[in-house]
Amino acid sequence: MRQGTDPLDDGAGTGGLLRQPKAVWATAGASVVAFMGIGLVDPILPSIAKGLDATPSQVSLLFTSYFLITAVAMLVTGFVSSRIGGKKTLLAGLALVVVFAALAGTSNSVGELVGFRAGWGLGNALFVSTALAVIVGAAAGGSAAAILLYESALGLGMACGPLLGAVLGDMKWRYPFFGTAALMAIGFLAITVFLKEQPKPARKTSLLDPLKALGHGGLASAAASAFFYNYAFFTVLAFTPFVLNMSPYKSGGVFFAWGVLLAVFSVLVAPRLQERFGSLKVLGGSLVLLAADLIVLGYGNHATAVAATVASGAFIGLNNTVYTELALNVSDAPRPVASAGYNFVRWFAAAAAPYFAPKIEEWSDLHVPFVVAAGAAVVGAVIVWVRRGVLTREVEGLRAGRGVEDGVSVFAN
């Protein structure tokens, strides 16, 4: 985040990033594990399909059920946290993840596994949508340090999830689920011990507030563009492992490198490019480059597909950061409400891509799912270009005057 130009930066800088209370480290550590859960199953998707005698399209429903529940839960998380408080919401989410991740490891059919992943998605939504607001409220060194810490946790989790899945999944496909349950149980205990209850918001959030916030043209435009972008993003995450068809270790290594690029470009590169070229130019250019990368991934040989998969992490990292800023700053709705509405729209695409990509392959061939994903990325860029006037005008009008007055709700950036 850029000090002095970003409304989330209160001028404190990032010098206090490492000097944080135990409560912040406990929440950030649990956040790493929560984000690990998104990509955890990537390297073991072929192993799960083999172990449960399932097709790629059936196994891809692990992502669909997870994100479909996550999307709907975005309307609920603010309602819950504004009534019971941040700590209790975090603990409720962690408890659900522990239970359903452990149950996922006991599954004897793909249907059971898909159902347990849905429960896992509800728990993750409750936890992750609340974690940043809690970190900001408890952190030392100002909101800039808190947000950088949160984004670092996101990047670390996205990078390490596939690696953990590969290490444990190489022994048995069930072990990554049990490992996640154990790590989240440790996070539950750490937050119970170290985190004090945060003040409740002055105003309670209703279930309809996020939907009402989407009536704002700028926020609706950002959400619509992010919807198409997320389709491309999760085609890479959920469908590519079947295309690469590698061992869990090799697939985990590929997606670890992908996650490292995602983290570096999200936290370090994106702010510098935004400062030089402006957010909308960075976003539009990155979406077009992602589309080109997807075409290369779909039509290249195996080595080229591996390289294109890793390279996509850079464009995804850039997009994540810019979309987050747009969603939080483009409207005058409270940030948790604006973010909930934005995430409600875009996570439906994250649910759709894992389902449709294997189906499209069955109906056509291996290349077409990536062509469709590339087209979705281009549509996202077109929306940004067509709506650039309202997006630029609204962001510039709101950049200077809004602090982190009521917390932020951002899921997986």
Side-chain angles (χ1 to χ4, degrees):
M1 294 295 176
R2 301 179 302 284
Q3 183 173 334
T5 62
D6 194 294
L8 299 183
D9 191 336
D10 60 5
T14 59
L17 178 62
L18 300 179
R19 297 190 297 272
Q20 299 295 339
K22 293 179 180 178
V24 172
W25 288 117
T27 307
S31 297
V32 171
V33 181
F35 288 121
M36 286 170 61
I38 296 177
L40 180 81
V41 300
D42 254 30
I44 58 171
L45 285 175
S47 299
I48 294 173
K50 183 178 180 181
L52 294 178
D53 193 24
T55 65
S57 60
Q58 288 175 321
V59 174
S60 293
L61 291 175
L62 294 176
F63 286 99
T64 297
S65 63
Y66 183 91
F67 288 115
L68 186 62
I69 295 300
T70 295
V72 176
M74 285 299 151
L75 302 180
V76 177
T77 52
F79 177 87
V80 172
S81 63
S82 66
R83 284 162 174 78
I84 68 174
K87 180 177 180 178
K88 291 178 181 177
T89 304
L90 290 179
L91 293 177
L94 287 170
L96 286 171
V97 172
V98 170
V99 170
F100 283 103
L103 288 172
T106 68
S107 300
N108 293 315
S109 70
V110 70
E112 288 183 5
L113 187 54
V114 168
F116 292 142
R117 276 283 284 183
W120 185 344
L122 174 60
N124 224 39
L126 287 171
F127 174 81
V128 178
S129 64
T130 310
L132 181 54
V134 170
I135 289 175
V136 169
S143 62
I147 292 167
L148 182 58
L149 183 64
Y150 180 85
E151 291 185 349
S152 300
L154 184 152
L156 184 61
M158 292 293 282
C160 292
L163 200 60
L164 178 67
V167 172
L168 297 179
D170 191 58
M171 295 182 281
K172 196 170 186 178
W173 69 261
R174 299 179 186 274
Y175 290 170
F177 299 107
F178 294 135
T180 298
L183 289 172
M184 288 304 249
I186 294 171
F188 184 96
L189 293 174
I191 288 177
T192 299
V193 172
F194 295 119
L195 180 63
K196 296 180 180 179
E197 183 57 82
Q198 304 296 297
K200 296 179 184 179
R203 178 183 176 274
K204 293 180 178 179
T205 300
S206 78
L207 293 174
L208 294 179
D209 281 350
L211 296 178
K212 293 177 181 177
L214 289 170
H216 185 280
L219 183 61
S221 300
S225 178
F227 176 90
F228 289 99
Y229 156 65
N230 263 25
Y231 185 93
F233 176 180
F234 284 93
T235 297
V236 174
L237 194 62
F239 183 64
T240 303
F242 292 108
V243 176
L244 298 181
N245 194 26
M246 303 167 77
S247 69
Y249 269 118
K250 290 181 180 179
S251 183
V254 169
F255 278 95
F256 173 73
W258 170 87
V260 169
L261 273 186
L262 187 154
V264 169
F265 275 74
S266 177
V267 176
L268 300 178
V269 179
R272 289 166 173 78
L273 291 179
Q274 287 175 273
E275 187 172 350
R276 181 171 181 179
F277 299 107
S279 293
L280 298 186
K281 288 183 180 179
V282 171
L283 182 58
S286 182
L287 286 168
V288 171
L289 290 173
L290 176 61
D293 183 80
L294 285 166
I295 296 296
V296 173
L297 199 167
Y299 283 92
N301 59 28
H302 190 267
T304 302
V306 169
T309 300
V310 174
S312 70
F315 308 124
I316 290 169
L318 291 174
N319 293 334
N320 284 351
T321 294
V322 181
Y323 273 120
T324 297
E325 285 198 3
L326 283 179
L328 297 181
N329 298 316
V330 77
S331 76
D332 54 1
R335 286 200 174 98
V337 173
S339 181
Y342 160 77
N343 281 303
F344 172 73
V345 172
R346 74 181 185 121
W347 288 119
F348 275 110
Y355 175 78
F356 283 112
K359 290 291 185 184
I360 292 171
E361 182 199 9
E362 293 173 6
W363 300 332
S364 54
D365 60 41
L366 185 66
H367 310 301
V368 178
F370 294 103
V371 175
V372 173
V378 171
V379 171
V382 170
I383 292 173
V384 170
W385 182 79
V386 171
R387 300 290 290 170
R388 65 191 183 281
V390 64
L391 289 171
T392 302
R393 182 171 65 252
E394 297 292 348
V395 169
E396 288 178 348
L398 288 162
R399 266 189 175 279
R402 296 184 59 187
V404 187
E405 71 281 353
D406 49 9
V408 189
S409 172
V410 184
F411 180 58
N413 239 19

